[in-house]
Amino acid sequence: MESTEAKTESKERSFAPPPRDQWTLITQGAEARIWKVPPFDNNDSLICKERFPKSYRHPDLDERLIKSRTRSEARVLEKCAKKSEIRVPKVIRVERNILYMECLDGPTLKQYLRDAVISDSTEVDYKNLFQNLGTLIARLHNLGVIHGDLTTSNVLMEGQELILIDFGLAKSTSSVEEQAVDLYVLERALQSTHPELPEDFFDNVLKIYEEVAAVQTKKHSHSTLQRLEQVRLRGRKRECFG
Amino acid sequence: MTSFKVVPTATDGPCREDSIENLKIPSAQEQFKSNHNGDTIVLGIEGSANKCGVGILKYSPPSSAETCGTYTILANPRKTFIPPTGEGFLPKETALHHQNHIVALVRVALLEAFPGEDKPESLLSAICFTKGPGMGAPLQSCAVCARTLSLLWKIPLVGVNHCVGHIEMGRIATGASNPVILYVSGGNTQVIAYSNQRYRIFGETIDIAIGNCLDRFARVVGLSNDPSPGYNIEQEAKKGSKFLTLPYVVKGMDVSFSGILTKVEELAKTERVEDLCFSLQETLFAMLVETTERAMAHTGVKQVLIVGGVGCNKRLQQMMEQMVEERGGSVCAMDYRYCIDNGAMICQAGILALQFGQITKLEDSWCTQRYRTDQMKTIWRAP
C-alpha cells in the first residue's frame, strides 16, 4: 500500500499543471466542467474535464460514480486512439475525477454549419461531409464502441477531418440496438439543429455507413439499419409500460 | 340517504386558469352542454391500480374581462385496496374491490358536491374515465361504471390518459405552466417534457417501475402494505446509516431497476432492514434526480414537478430540491391532488379535452393496459 502511494506521489511531481487561476472555463455541463489549461513543462495547452461532486448523492455513491465514469471514458478514448483512423482527443492523464486530454482546435460541426449559413462565402462540401461522417461512425461501431451522444456539438472540424469528442456516455458494445440508437440520436440532432442541410444528407450518411461497416461484417451493418427503422417508429422508446 | 354524513374530501380552493398558459377555451361547443350559469361540471372515475376514486370538478368562466376562469374540485372521495403483508394487489381482487365501492363513491361524491340537490346528475356535462395505462380488470370495472352513467344520464364520455391526468392536475394545482415532470409510481417511471402538443418521454425505465421495485422489496423484508409499502420503507430508511453498494444503472436518459432489486433481495439475507431501505432509496433516487437534471439541461427548463405516488417520499423531494437549487430553479411542492391517484385529476385532464372538443364515443370507450403518455394529444396547449 505504501509503495503505491509513493508511486502516485512521484507521478504527481512529474505532472504539475499551472495553478487553477490560470485555467479558462470553457463550458459547464450537468456533471462536469471543461477547462483549458495553459501550456506547461513539455505539454501544449490541455483540455481538462473535471467531474464535480453532486451534493444530493450519498458521498460513497458520488465517489464511486465519478471515479468509474472518468475511468471508463478514458478507457473508451484509449481504445479509439489505438486505431489511427478514428480521431479522438488523446488522453494525457487520468486522475480520480479529472481527465486531461489533448487540446484540439477547430470549430464544432454545429458552429461550422451555422457559420456557413450566415456567411455566403463559405460553400459547404456536403458530399465530403457525409462521406467523412458516415465513415467515422461506421469505424467507431466496427471497433465495438458506441458514442451515446452523437450530436453536431460533439464533432470537431480540423480542416475537412472530423474529430469525435465527449465520450461521457460512450461504451464498449457491439449491440445492434445500441448502434441503431446511436444513429437515431444523430438523425434527430441533424433534423432539429440543422434544417439547412440537404434533404438526403442523412440517407447519404447511412449509405456510406453501410458500405464501410459492411467491410467488417455485412450482415451486422444491415441489421443495424433494419433496427434503426424500428427505433424510428417507436421514437427510441419501447411501446409502453403498464 | 338524507341522514348520510358526508366527510369533506374537497378542501382546496379554486385554481386560476391563467397561471398555466393554456390556449383560450373555444366558445360554444356542440359536443356538450354547460349549465345555465356558464359553469361546466364533470365527474371523473379513476381505477387503474389499487385506488378507486371519483372526483367532481367545476370550471367557472371569467365573469368579466378582468377576471380569470377557475377550476374547483367539488368532491374527491377515494377507496384504497390494501393487500395483506407479503402480497401485492392482484388484478382480480383489485377489480372486485373497485366493483364493490364504485357506486357508493359516485353517490357520496354527488352528495358532497351538490348538497340538497334533487337531480345532481342534471348539472354534469360529461363523465371522464381512465382509459389506461394500468391493470386491465380494475380499469374495465371503472369503465363499465362510466359507460353506464353516460347512457343513464345521456351525457358524453371523455377517455383520459392516466399519466396526463397526473400532469394536468399538477400544473393547475401548482400553477407551473411548463415544468419538467418526473412521474414516479407503482407502474410508471418517466421523465417528461412538453413539446408540440405532446408530453414527450425523455427518459424512462427500461424494465420495472420504481414503485414496483419498492413494493416488491417491501414484500421480501416483510414490511406492511398499510398505508403503503413505500411509506414504510421511507420510515425504516430514516434509521439506516450503512451505505451498501447496489448497482447504479443509468443509460443515457433511461434507468433500469431490476438488477438493483435482485441484489437487494440477496443482501436481505444478511443485512439489517433499515440499512437496506436506506441504501435502496439513496441509489434509486440518485438515478431519478440525475436523469431529471439531464432533461432540465437539455430543455433549459428551470422548474420540476414530481407526480405519482413515489413523489410523496420526503427524501426524494429533498434530493431533487438540492439538485434544482444548484441549477437556480425550483421544485413544485408535493400535493395529494396529483401525487396519489384520485378522481379529480382524471376530471382535470378530461375537462380540458372536453372544452376543446375532444369526446370519446361509446364504441371507442375501451380501455387499454398500454397507453403511452405521448399518445394523447394535448390540444389545449400551444403547439
Side-chain angles (χ1 to χ4, degrees):
Chain A
M1 204 59 208
E2 267 174 42
S3 63
T4 31
E5 260 173 43
K7 209 169 143 194
T8 355
E9 236 178 61
S10 73
K11 248 185 171 178
E12 216 65 65
R13 265 197 294 275
S14 64
F15 188 86
R20 286 270 175 147
D21 53 12
Q22 293 173 28
W23 299 12
T24 339
L25 183 66
I26 297 178
T27 176
Q28 172 165 348
E31 64 167 356
R33 291 186 192 97
I34 309 288
W35 303 89
K36 186 166 182 172
V37 184
F40 64 97
D41 298 343
N42 295 323
N43 297 302
D44 289 331
S45 287
L46 293 182
I47 289 294
C48 163
K49 177 168 182 172
E50 178 191 34
R51 286 185 162 78
F52 48 83
K54 292 280 176 188
S55 67
Y56 66 81
R57 287 200 286 239
H58 189 280
D60 293 2
L61 179 62
D62 194 56
E63 177 71 26
R64 186 180 114 206
L65 291 178
I66 286 178
K67 219 162 126 179
S68 72
R69 285 177 182 179
T70 305
R71 257 199 232 148
S72 104
E73 186 173 354
R75 220 175 293 145
V76 170
L77 281 170
E78 276 160 4
K79 187 171 172 179
C80 293
K82 278 195 192 125
K83 291 268 173 185
S84 57
E85 67 236 34
I86 305 171
R87 271 298 298 278
V88 296
K90 204 173 135 202
V91 177
I92 308 293
R93 184 186 165 85
V94 188
E95 284 172 11
R96 187 185 63 85
N97 64 330
I98 296 179
L99 209 55
Y100 290 98
M101 291 170 284
E102 167 191 16
C103 181
L104 296 163
D105 289 318
T108 63
L109 181 54
K110 184 176 172 177
Q111 198 57 50
Y112 176 80
L113 291 173
R114 285 271 162 90
D115 289 350
V117 173
I118 298 164
S119 77
D120 294 332
S121 56
T122 326
E123 195 65 42
V124 181
D125 185 352
Y126 288 116
K127 184 155 183 267
N128 197 10
L129 193 58
F130 67 65
Q131 283 269 5
N132 287 345
L133 199 55
T135 310
L136 183 66
I137 302 165
R139 281 175 178 164
L140 189 74
H141 287 179
N142 283 348
L143 186 64
V145 172
I146 59 119
H147 183 274
D149 193 14
L150 279 177
T151 63
T152 45
S153 314
N154 286 337
V155 178
L156 293 185
M157 303 274 296
E158 199 180 61
Q160 284 300 306
E161 200 187 4
L162 303 181
I163 308 165
L164 274 176
I165 57 165
D166 191 358
F167 280 68
L169 291 174
K171 65 177 169 189
S172 281
T173 171
S174 294
S175 129
V176 171
E177 166 75 17
E178 307 238 26
Q179 292 179 350
V181 170
D182 226 15
L183 290 169
Y184 180 70
V185 170
L186 176 67
E187 182 178 18
R188 290 293 301 271
L190 291 177
Q191 282 168 350
S192 61
T193 334
H194 301 287
E196 73 275 11
L197 286 173
E199 235 168 67
D200 58 351
F201 184 83
F202 187 69
D203 290 338
N204 285 322
V205 171
L206 287 184
K207 257 183 225 154
I208 303 293
Y209 172 87
E210 195 175 9
E211 271 170 35
V212 179
V215 175
Q216 188 103 343
T217 49
K218 190 163 185 183
K219 210 171 140 200
H220 196 84
S221 70
H222 187 65
S223 43
T224 299
L225 292 184
Q226 265 182 341
R227 184 64 70 96
L228 176 61
E229 285 296 319
Q230 290 174 28
V231 175
R232 274 182 186 140
L233 282 179
R234 68 187 145 90
R236 195 163 78 88
K237 305 303 180 190
R238 301 156 316 125
E239 170 48 26
C240 184
F241 198 78
Chain B
M1 193 75 198
T2 40
S3 61
F4 192 88
K5 190 173 173 285
V6 176
V7 183
T9 54
T11 45
D12 300 285
C15 300
R16 295 168 61 92
E17 67 173 336
D18 58 351
S19 61
I20 53 171
E21 294 163 17
N22 281 347
L23 296 171
K24 195 175 174 298
I25 298 170
S27 56
Q29 287 285 333
E30 283 172 21
Q31 285 94 332
F32 71 100
K33 282 204 303 279
S34 295
N35 294 329
H36 56 86
N37 60 354
D39 287 352
T40 305
I41 307 179
V42 297
L43 181 141
I45 300 176
E46 153 63 23
S48 60
N50 70 331
K51 289 171 194 71
C52 183
V54 174
I56 296 179
L57 185 97
K58 176 176 79 174
Y59 171 74
S60 311
S63 52
S64 67
E66 289 80 45
T67 58
C68 150
T70 57
Y71 291 96
T72 315
I73 299 173
L74 301 180
N76 199 12
R78 177 178 67 215
K79 276 276 180 192
T80 306
F81 173 55
I82 298 174
T85 304
E87 287 178 29
F89 49 94
L90 301 170
K92 195 177 161 189
E93 294 164 5
T94 312
L96 200 60
H97 168 269
H98 292 4
Q99 288 161 23
N100 284 337
H101 287 100
I102 190 73
V103 176
L105 283 166
V106 170
R107 295 179 92 142
V108 83
L110 289 171
L111 268 176
E112 182 184 353
F114 313 108
E117 181 65 51
D118 279 346
K119 293 186 99 186
E121 67 274 14
S122 66
L123 297 168
L124 298 175
S125 293
I127 306 289
C128 313
F129 72 102
T130 310
K131 209 167 161 53
M135 289 163 76
L139 278 172
Q140 281 295 351
S141 304
C142 294
V144 166
C145 176
R147 286 183 212 118
T148 310
L149 294 178
S150 156
L151 290 172
L152 201 61
W153 295 340
K154 298 188 178 59
I155 49 175
L157 280 168
V158 184
V160 170
N161 180 308
H162 180 84
C163 317
V164 175
H166 274 293
I167 297 170
E168 290 308 335
M169 183 49 90
R171 288 175 66 230
I172 193 84
T174 60
S177 65
N178 187 27
V180 163
I181 301 137
L182 175 66
Y183 176 24
V184 275
S185 68
N188 293 280
T189 307
Q190 302 177 337
V191 180
I192 300 160
Y194 172 80
S195 148
N196 197 18
Q197 298 203 317
R198 305 251 178 206
Y199 289 110
R200 312 270 167 187
I201 302 170
F202 253 79
E204 65 187 322
T205 174
I206 56 171
D207 39 55
I208 58 173
I210 179 147
N212 191 240
C213 179
L214 291 169
D215 292 358
R216 282 158 73 174
F217 170 71
R219 261 177 260 161
V220 170
V221 294
L223 289 175
S224 165
N225 289 326
D226 191 12
S228 77
Y231 177 82
N232 292 322
I233 289 176
E234 187 180 352
Q235 302 318 308
E236 287 296 321
K238 286 179 188 163
K239 295 179 249 163
S241 52
K242 184 172 153 195
F243 184 73
L244 307 160
T245 304
L246 297 174
Y248 183 98
V249 192
V250 171
K251 297 180 177 181
M253 297 292 284
D254 294 333
V255 291
S256 158
F257 299 126
S258 60
I260 303 179
L261 184 62
T262 311
K263 179 73 182 176
V264 83
E265 282 173 351
E266 197 184 295
L267 289 171
K269 291 174 196 143
T270 49
E271 300 290 341
R272 299 189 319 152
V273 172
E274 45 269 46
D275 291 334
L276 289 164
C277 291
F278 170 69
S279 311
L280 183 63
Q281 280 199 165
E282 289 298 316
T283 310
L284 293 177
F285 297 165
M287 290 163 62
L288 296 177
V289 175
E290 180 176 2
T291 42
T292 308
E293 181 167 21
R294 291 232 171 106
M296 287 176 79
H298 194 277
T299 55
V301 168
K302 293 269 182 207
Q303 226 168 7
V304 175
L305 174 69
I306 311 178
V307 303
V310 182
C312 296
N313 190 298
K314 294 272 181 346
R315 178 62 187 143
L316 172 60
Q317 291 166 32
Q318 188 189 25
M319 287 167 73
M320 192 63 83
E321 271 158 22
Q322 269 174 303
M323 180 277 283
V324 172
E325 204 172 283
E326 278 166 27
R327 300 187 65 85
S330 64
V331 183
C332 302
M334 193 279 293
D335 191 309
Y336 288 93
R337 279 173 286 175
Y338 52 84
C339 278
I340 298 178
D341 292 352
N342 63 77
M345 65 180 222
I346 301 303
C347 293
Q348 186 60 52
I351 200 169
L352 289 168
L354 182 74
Q355 288 174 318
F356 285 78
Q358 221 174 38
I359 67 158
T360 307
K361 288 191 211 133
L362 186 67
E363 58 265 36
D364 299 327
S365 66
W366 39 267
C367 317
T368 169
Q369 302 199 81
R370 300 177 182 279
Y371 189 9
R372 286 179 65 83
T373 313
D374 49 17
Q375 279 175 298
M376 188 170 180
K377 198 164 182 200
T378 56
I379 47 172
W380 50 87
R381 294 199 59 176

